[in-house]
Amino acid sequence: MTERLTLHEYAPSGNCYKIRLTAALLGIPLERRGYDILKGETRTPAFLADVNANGRIPVLQIGDRFLPESNAACVWLASDSRLIPADRFDHADMLRWMFFEQYNHEPNVATLRFWLAFIGEAALSESQRAQLPARRAAGQAALALMDEHLADHAFFVGESLTLADIALYAYTHVAGEGGFDLAAFPAVSGWLERVAAQPGHLPLSA
Ligand SMILES: N[C@@H](CCC(=O)N[C@@H](CS)C(=O)NCC(=O)O)C(=O)O
């Protein structure tokens, strides 16, 4: 890989961590540039014009091109690697779990973590407070579906780690910060240990 890779990120974000973890597992060096999303640093005119018109991190900069969306960035990094199944069905099944992560898991599990652990319950808006029960129920449902699948699968797809595991690991392993009790999901807990034991694994705080 000859192009210079820069991750535009907010380090505590699980979406940003997915990209660091993928790169670490594959031994790909990444430069990092930080933005404080609590101070609106991804909403400045310069960020919107130069990095991501959608005003969000992560963005993987590949040379002079910018790739937003965490799972897209992981796919770019892992292209032609062991983290993407060669089998056509398994490849699509990996994407199925990554779309599930973005639609059913992250908006609930990650959002509650952000609201409760980063903004703080006392500082939530009325609208955010009103959404807490529904987001908690939807997050629980996502974790329960994962638990059911993992009860008889070591990893989400096939017999080894893929991007589906990385995408779902990022916010699941810190779901407790959003008030989710992972002890209620024993198969998820066992899978978290298997992902953390992968050679080259990197913690979120690294
Ligand atoms: N679907 C996007 C979500 C990106 C996202 O929501 N980023 C959040 C942090 S995890 C953000 O930049 N928030 C700051 C803002 O919206 O101003 C992805 O997977 O990368």
Side-chain angles (χ1 to χ4, degrees):
M1 208 171 291
T2 52
E3 286 154 308
R4 183 172 175 169
L5 301 178
T6 306
L7 176 62
H8 297 262
E9 66 168 358
Y10 173 61
S13 149
N15 283 322
C16 298
Y17 171 54
K18 287 173 198 172
I19 298 170
R20 297 200 302 274
L21 180 55
T22 302
L25 290 167
L26 295 173
I28 300 171
L30 276 187
E31 293 180 23
R32 298 168 66 178
R33 170 145 182 216
Y35 301 82
D36 189 344
I37 60 173
L38 295 165
K39 293 188 180 147
E41 289 179 2
T42 61
R43 300 286 169 164
T44 63
F47 186 94
L48 295 172
D50 298 340
V51 183
N52 183 8
N54 198 23
R56 290 178 173 83
I57 45 78
V59 176
L60 180 63
Q61 182 178 351
I62 304 151
D64 58 4
R65 293 183 298 171
F66 293 82
L67 184 61
E69 292 297 332
S70 57
N71 288 345
C74 290
V75 167
W76 189 89
L77 286 171
S79 180
D80 295 326
S81 82
R82 68 182 187 280
L83 298 179
I84 298 183
D87 176 82
R88 187 172 177 173
F89 182 88
D90 285 351
H91 185 141
D93 203 29
M94 176 197 80
L95 293 175
R96 176 267 285 234
W97 284 111
M98 294 169 82
F99 295 137
F100 163 83
E101 186 267 340
Q102 286 284 290
Y103 190 78
N104 295 97
H105 185 284
E106 192 258 17
N108 303 304
V109 177
T111 299
L112 284 198
R113 170 179 179 252
F114 187 67
W115 286 356
L116 299 177
F118 291 75
I119 297 180
E121 191 160 2
L124 294 181
S125 69
E126 224 168 277
S127 151
Q128 288 168 330
R129 202 179 301 277
Q131 292 176 48
L132 289 175
R135 293 211 188 224
R136 179 154 316 284
Q140 289 280 131
L143 292 168
L145 187 85
M146 291 167 63
D147 204 59
E148 195 184 319
H149 183 75
L150 291 168
D152 51 10
H153 296 86
F155 296 98
F156 275 93
V157 180
E159 304 302 322
S160 61
L161 188 95
T162 69
L163 292 184
D165 300 286
I166 294 174
L168 283 161
Y169 178 83
Y171 284 110
T172 303
H173 85 294
V174 288
E177 295 176 19
F180 293 96
D181 179 12
L182 289 176
F185 304 104
V188 167
S189 300
W191 163 78
L192 290 176
E193 286 172 18
R194 285 191 290 282
V195 176
Q198 295 290 310
H201 180 271
L202 187 80
L204 191 153
S205 56

